[in-house]
Amino acid sequence: DRAPDVARGKSLGLRCSTSSQASSMLAFIVSLVAYTDPAEELYGIWERNMGKNRETKLQTQYHFAYAQHLAPYRTRNNVTLLEIGANTGDSLYAWSEYFREPGATIWGMRYGVSDSRMKKCRAGAANCAKVHIHDGDQSSARDLRALVAAAFGDAFKAPATLANHEWRRAGYDVIIDDGSHVPAHILFTFTELFPMLRPGGVYVIEDNAFSYADKPTNAYGYRVGHRGGIGRPTTDNAVERFKALADIVNREECFQDLDIVIFSEAIDRAVFQVAFVSGLVFVWKKTAAQQAGLAGIPSLRWTSHADGPALQEYKRFLEAGKHVGVGGVRV
């Protein structure tokens, strides 16, 4: 005769005095049973949408990091994602299913891929309608700016402040660079597109192995590794440049007078957080509130002890790694 107690939730240590409470408890129990691990969910989306390309995508195990770091963006209204390196489109279709909100927009930039090679979208008509593909070369400033214009209009320029209301209308929430994987291209594209990221947005760089190339090698038809290798801050090593942002994000509290520049003064000041996961780099942009709050940190007495020989040595180290990059642009 335990059945009545179980029905009332007594076995769970709960009592429901009303039918509405009983319904709420039942819904809670059903949600526990129906729970799907977010990483497993993304893995399944890739399996369904990526065809022959899914093996490479799944082997990287990127779904763990993406499920964790992109979760806050899934429920945003009118989220806009851009992926550099759209290839035949299947990863864009996967993202269109992952970002399931009707107002989501998925942009992709492809290079050297004809319409006849594009895969069929299998994510459902509503999701497929979110996808827009633009042709261009990520090492070309003109092509990158044309991509931004296609998404937000010719008149759009990155607002000067993070508090500007124009960000509500335009800008990317998520940018993923899965393009050529050439370190110089990665750095150049970041310099061009990070300013177009909305406040609070995240910029992701995939497949960073070529930053560690210590001798000339081929990367999808490009030669890399001339000046690369671990620990070398050159345009042949994008990872090393992003590592240097760790000092930038510590500046407000630990070293307010730090006068080094990694990408540009505007970009550096806008970076809130950097994370490194196997093969991936995540860079978050500050919100207006974060920028204002960090700028208001009072001067701390120990920061004066940071300016010494080590800083001068570090500046020489960074300067030695800089040279003219893609398209004559210093990156």
Side-chain angles (χ1 to χ4, degrees):
D1 60 352
R2 297 281 297 170
D5 286 339
V6 173
R8 289 195 300 269
K10 191 171 182 179
S11 64
L12 295 176
L14 302 171
R15 283 186 178 275
C16 296
S17 58
T18 66
S19 60
S20 63
Q21 288 177 335
S23 298
S24 297
M25 181 191 294
L26 180 60
F28 172 70
I29 294 171
V30 169
S31 70
L32 292 178
V33 174
Y35 173 77
T36 301
D37 179 83
E40 291 181 3
E41 179 189 7
L42 180 54
Y43 191 94
I45 290 172
W46 282 348
E47 278 193 311
R48 288 193 296 276
N49 287 279
M50 297 199 63
K52 293 181 180 179
N53 291 330
R54 69 177 181 271
E55 293 302 323
T56 301
K57 198 72 171 180
L58 299 178
Q59 286 171 2
T60 63
Q61 303 295 299
Y62 288 167
H63 57 292
F64 292 113
Y66 274 131
Q68 175 184 349
H69 294 309
L70 297 189
Y73 303 92
R74 292 192 75 182
T75 55
R76 283 193 181 183
N77 292 326
N78 302 318
V79 67
T80 301
L81 176 143
L82 166 64
E83 183 172 30
I84 302 295
N87 199 12
T88 55
D90 41 15
S91 63
L92 300 181
Y93 307 145
W95 289 126
S96 76
E97 181 178 340
Y98 179 78
F99 291 96
R100 59 172 63 96
E101 292 295 318
T105 304
I106 311 298
W107 278 90
M109 187 180 199
R110 68 180 184 181
Y111 179 66
V113 179
S114 63
D115 288 342
S116 62
R117 292 177 55 200
M118 298 301 291
K119 301 294 179 59
K120 182 179 179 181
C121 180
R122 297 183 291 272
N127 289 327
C128 294
K130 303 172 186 174
V131 177
H132 305 271
I133 299 174
H134 186 88
D135 290 293
D137 179 352
Q138 74 175 112
S139 68
S140 164
R142 176 182 295 179
D143 287 358
L144 292 176
R145 291 164 191 172
L147 169 67
V148 173
F152 308 118
D154 292 336
F156 177 69
K157 300 291 185 293
T161 67
L162 298 181
N164 194 300
H165 292 306
E166 181 71 4
W167 287 117
R168 298 177 183 177
R169 183 192 72 81
Y172 303 105
D173 297 282
V174 180
I175 299 176
I176 299 171
D177 185 347
D178 187 21
S180 69
H181 308 310
V182 174
H185 293 176
I186 290 170
L187 294 171
F188 179 75
T189 304
F190 180 83
T191 303
E192 286 287 325
L193 292 183
F194 187 79
M196 306 301 168
L197 194 67
R198 278 177 172 148
V202 62
Y203 193 109
V204 190
I205 303 97
E206 288 194 8
D207 302 324
N208 288 288
F210 289 113
S211 283
Y212 294 96
D214 204 1
K215 57 185 178 181
T217 188
N218 181 64
Y220 302 100
Y222 298 94
R223 296 294 286 174
V224 300
H226 299 285
R227 302 175 182 84
I230 192 167
R232 293 176 178 168
T234 72
T235 54
D236 268 356
N237 189 333
V239 169
E240 201 65 33
R241 188 69 67 86
F242 289 110
K243 283 183 189 178
L245 287 176
D247 299 310
I248 295 299
V249 299
N250 275 309
R251 177 162 50 186
E252 281 93 348
E253 179 180 352
C254 303
F255 200 165
Q256 293 175 351
D257 295 328
L258 184 63
D259 58 353
I260 63 173
V261 175
I262 305 303
F263 286 97
S264 72
E265 187 66 28
I267 289 175
D268 292 359
R269 291 288 179 185
V271 173
F272 177 67
Q273 180 181 354
V274 187
F276 296 86
V277 186
S278 181
L280 296 166
V281 178
F282 290 80
V283 184
W284 284 266
K285 195 171 193 176
K286 291 173 181 171
T287 63
Q290 288 167 345
Q291 186 177 60
L294 290 168
I297 293 178
S299 180
L300 303 170
R301 65 181 185 276
W302 59 74
T303 62
S304 62
H305 303 305
D307 190 353
L311 174 60
Q312 302 311 313
E313 182 180 345
Y314 186 53
K315 286 181 177 180
R316 290 192 293 270
F317 172 73
L318 291 176
E319 188 61 31
K322 293 181 179 179
H323 60 88
V324 175
V326 181
V329 177
R330 190 176 177 83
V331 295

